[in-house]
Amino acid sequence: MEYKLAPLPYAYEALEPHIDAQTMHLHHDIHHLGYVNGLNNALQKLEQARQANDFALAKHWEREVAFHGSGHVLHEIFWTIMSPNGGGEPSGALGTAIKETFGSFDQFKNHLTAATNQVEGSGWGILAYNLQLGALQILQAEKHQDLTVWGAYPLLVIDVWEHAYYLKYQNKRPDYVKAFFNVINWNEVASRYAKVSKG
Ligand code: MN3
């Protein structure tokens, strides 16, 4: 089976002024496509290494599958949890869970903002639902696959690789993260939460 790159669910310029059209073009059409192609290639090479009983080589392709596969999964979520009609605060079960877990929406926002700004190098700030614990968690990912907590289902992911913001925000990652809250599609985040939460 071949993984494919789905089109953006809105126009490239739809998230202006918070995220510019050129960044969206490069990010989706070049960077995300690179992960899709990298994943398909790594899976094929892994299969070849397995058939050749070359498990030293398989180790390399397993790591490539983790990198490109996680990159593909996180970007697929990323496009859908943004919207030109985004921003504000979540209501309903997710809004309640955020308040119960973090004390208030503002405190949640402070924590997620700090965690995202503090990612060392390239990575992601993530709000996840841990299926084993039955609890919301704020996590970081370095690259796409490092620092993963097993059992954590990503609900909201904020890409802080430089390709996500450097054209518009240069070195000012905190300005990009602040602006990002204006495009969060809380309806989609809530729908992801409803799919996995026990409440
Ligand atoms: Mn990216």
Side-chain angles (χ1 to χ4, degrees):
M1 125 180 210
E2 287 262 300
Y3 289 90
K4 291 205 166 63
L5 178 64
L8 283 180
Y10 36 72
Y12 291 96
E13 67 275 16
L15 304 177
E16 299 257 13
H18 309 294
I19 301 180
D20 60 288
Q22 192 186 7
T23 293
M24 292 297 284
H25 267 290
L26 295 170
H27 198 175
H28 177 272
D29 300 358
I30 307 290
H31 291 283
H32 188 176
L33 180 63
Y35 299 126
V36 172
N37 291 339
L39 175 58
N40 286 326
N41 178 60
L43 287 169
Q44 190 185 22
K45 295 285 173 41
L46 179 59
E47 177 62 25
Q48 289 168 1
R50 180 164 48 234
Q51 285 172 6
N53 280 322
D54 188 348
F55 294 110
L57 182 59
K59 175 186 173 185
H60 167 74
W61 290 112
E62 285 155 6
R63 295 169 68 97
E64 290 289 301
V65 167
F67 175 77
H68 291 285
S70 299
H72 173 49
V73 164
L74 288 173
H75 283 93
E76 275 205 321
I77 299 167
F78 184 65
W79 310 126
T80 64
I81 58 84
M82 295 189 287
S83 162
N85 307 309
E89 297 182 19
S91 54
L94 176 62
T96 303
I98 283 176
K99 289 187 182 84
E100 284 176 356
T101 305
F102 302 100
S104 66
F105 179 79
D106 284 345
Q107 197 56 8
F108 154 76
K109 187 174 169 180
N110 291 340
H111 184 173
L112 181 60
T113 297
T116 306
N117 285 334
Q118 288 162 351
V119 169
E120 294 183 4
S122 298
W124 300 74
I126 296 176
L127 171 68
Y129 181 77
N130 189 297
L131 295 155
Q132 269 67 41
L133 302 176
L136 292 173
Q137 292 184 312
I138 288 174
L139 302 169
Q140 295 181 326
E142 288 178 7
K143 297 190 281 182
H144 304 303
Q145 76 282 24
D146 292 344
L147 306 182
T148 302
V149 174
W150 301 113
Y153 182 83
L155 302 174
L156 165 61
V157 299
I158 308 177
D159 190 340
V160 285
W161 282 57
E162 287 182 348
H163 66 226
Y165 62 87
Y166 219 81
L167 284 179
K168 183 176 173 68
Y169 295 93
Q170 292 85 46
N171 58 313
K172 298 184 277 294
R173 182 191 280 182
D175 290 357
Y176 156 73
V177 173
K178 188 176 178 194
F180 191 87
F181 277 85
N182 294 315
V183 299
I184 294 176
N185 179 356
W186 284 111
N187 287 338
E188 177 62 19
V189 179
S191 133
R192 297 180 63 76
Y193 176 70
K195 263 194 285 188
V196 294
S197 63
K198 291 165 186 160

